[in-house]
Amino acid sequence: MPYSKIIGTGSYLPERVVTNQELQARIETSDDWIVSRTGIEARHVAAETEMTSDLAFQAAQRAMQAANVSADDIDLIIVATTTPDMIFPSTACLLQARLGVKRGAAFDVQAVCTGFIYALATADKFIASGAHKCALVVGAEVFSRLLDWTDRRTCVLFGDGAGAVIVKASEAPGIYSSHLHADGSLSHILRVSGNVHRGQVRGSPFVEMDGPAVFKLAVRVLDECSREALEHNGFTGKDLDWFVPHQANLRIINATADKMGVPRERVVTTVARHGNTSAASVPLALDKAVRDARIQPGHLVLLEGVGGGMTWGSILLRW
Ligand code: UT7
């Protein structure tokens, strides 16, 4: 079978919600500034004991239930995360054990906020090649652990969460195409430079970002890669039923949708309630629009991401 198709979605958000009001009581910021510059009103933050694999496990179980598949059916697990439970083994291997999956491959993908797009593109190629039959693809993050909660330029932007999809081989699309990009020469504009070195963290353990530089790049590359995806498949923005972009900033999302000619009511946005959940943002938004029945069989859907690396990419699919 030449194509792969998403047959179920799931997501999970930690219980604790941190509002802008709570942040403005703690640091020098305001609800007004955060909402007007980003569209973010609140974000979820994992409990101290919750790890990325815990969030991934919940989202994965919900996706498996929606797709009506069991652990025995899955032969590929890819987890996109910037916040793995440990340096190794991979979060995908920890998740595999927790789910009771006994065969196939399990590995993590690191493309920061584009991670889910990279992971889904990888699963698509593995399945379309015939090498694997049923993939679990997860984007999961406890990004709050990488934040300096006294740095107002970054700590108001991010949140924790997980989203998952089950992907199977299909005679009909399914995923039409994926387009992935990277420019490592821009690694300095968004990074966590720290590493573990002989028992010490060397470099910074916190997110450092040149916000305006990332903003400008995001608006440019998201426009380029949406055009690339649509033109490659002979579509225009008007053909899209749903645009599901990375949820970093409402101004970036709206600028991209406007350039594509996609009306705002066709754009799935969760950034107001989730903030930027990095690799989890696209599958979280996708699951929301599937569960509230906005996305229907036959709909044309464009997924898009941009993040540290810098990396960016798109996936165009028929639901
Ligand atoms: O997921 C990966 C991709 N990440 C992104 O896409 C993020 C892209 N960047 C952005 O979304 C925006 O650049 C930000 C939301 C991060 C910042 O918005 P901006 O409009 O680019 O603001 P700025 O960084 O140019 O800062 C403007 C002012 C500064 O004050 P001065 O120097 O003009 O006096 C900042 O110090 O706003 C100040 N500021 C804040 N004020 C209140 C920065 N953060 C805050 C804050 N509260 N939280």
Side-chain angles (χ1 to χ4, degrees):
M1 288 195 261
Y3 295 104
S4 80
K5 194 175 177 70
I6 296 175
I7 59 161
T9 65
S11 63
Y12 173 78
L13 288 160
E15 207 177 304
R16 175 151 154 67
V17 174
V18 175
T19 61
N20 291 349
Q21 283 72 21
E22 186 177 336
L23 288 178
Q24 75 182 10
R26 279 202 252 147
I27 54 168
E28 202 186 324
T29 189
S30 66
D31 179 46
D32 258 8
W33 191 96
I34 303 171
V35 171
S36 65
R37 300 290 177 120
T38 71
I40 298 168
E41 296 162 16
R43 69 288 294 145
H44 292 251
V45 172
E48 277 305 307
T49 51
E50 268 180 321
M51 302 297 281
T52 292
S53 65
D54 297 317
L55 277 53
F57 178 67
Q58 298 292 340
Q61 279 194 313
R62 290 170 193 182
M64 287 164 67
Q65 203 170 26
N68 198 21
V69 303
S70 73
D72 292 340
D73 298 315
I74 294 170
D75 61 2
L76 174 65
I77 299 178
I78 309 180
V79 175
T81 187
T82 316
T83 52
D85 287 21
M86 45 185 90
I87 290 176
F88 72 86
S90 69
T91 305
C93 284
L94 301 176
L95 180 63
Q96 188 208 39
R98 186 102 178 258
L99 289 168
V101 174
K102 295 286 182 209
R103 65 203 175 92
F107 58 92
D108 287 0
V109 161
Q110 164 58 303
V112 202
C113 300
T114 320
F116 181 77
I117 302 292
Y118 269 59
L120 184 55
T122 306
D124 172 50
K125 305 289 185 216
F126 275 47
I127 287 189
S129 77
H132 294 263
K133 301 280 177 254
C134 180
L136 165 65
V137 184
V138 185
E141 301 277 17
V142 286
F143 218 82
S144 62
R145 311 251 164 95
L146 300 178
L147 301 174
D148 172 355
W149 285 91
T150 64
D151 177 8
R152 68 178 185 173
R153 290 168 306 154
T154 51
C155 77
V156 304
L157 303 173
F158 296 92
D160 301 336
V165 299
I166 301 290
V167 184
K168 277 190 102 166
S170 167
E171 286 294 352
I175 291 178
Y176 284 116
S177 68
S178 56
H179 290 93
L180 305 181
H181 301 279
D183 183 350
S185 73
L186 297 173
S187 60
H188 58 284
I189 67 173
L190 177 56
R191 67 179 182 180
V192 176
S193 63
N195 64 72
V196 177
H197 184 94
R198 299 186 186 182
Q200 306 284 326
V201 175
R202 204 191 239 187
S204 170
F206 297 125
V207 172
E208 298 166 309
M209 178 167 73
D210 177 345
V214 174
F215 190 101
K216 274 187 218 132
L217 179 94
V219 170
R220 178 172 63 80
V221 299
L222 290 177
D223 177 48
E224 281 171 10
C225 80
S226 50
R227 266 173 221 285
E228 182 183 34
L230 291 167
E231 280 169 17
H232 180 83
N233 293 286
F235 295 115
T236 71
K238 296 199 173 32
D239 297 313
L240 276 184
D241 292 295
W242 294 105
F243 176 42
V244 187
H246 173 48
Q247 309 285 316
N249 186 317
L250 196 55
R251 290 189 293 145
I252 297 174
I253 294 171
N254 286 343
T256 310
D258 290 351
K259 283 185 180 178
M260 269 195 293
V262 177
R264 299 277 163 87
E265 59 275 15
R266 293 275 156 198
V267 183
V268 179
T269 56
T270 52
V271 67
R273 304 307 301 171
H274 299 173
N276 180 350
T277 57
S278 184
S281 94
V282 170
L284 267 164
L286 181 66
D287 183 51
K288 180 139 189 36
V290 168
R291 282 178 192 261
D292 66 22
R294 273 178 287 173
I295 296 180
Q296 290 290 325
H299 278 176
L300 188 66
V301 181
L302 179 65
L303 313 179
E304 232 176 37
V306 58
M310 295 298 288
T311 55
W312 60 97
S314 68
I315 290 183
L316 187 70
L317 58 90
R318 182 73 66 190
W319 198 253

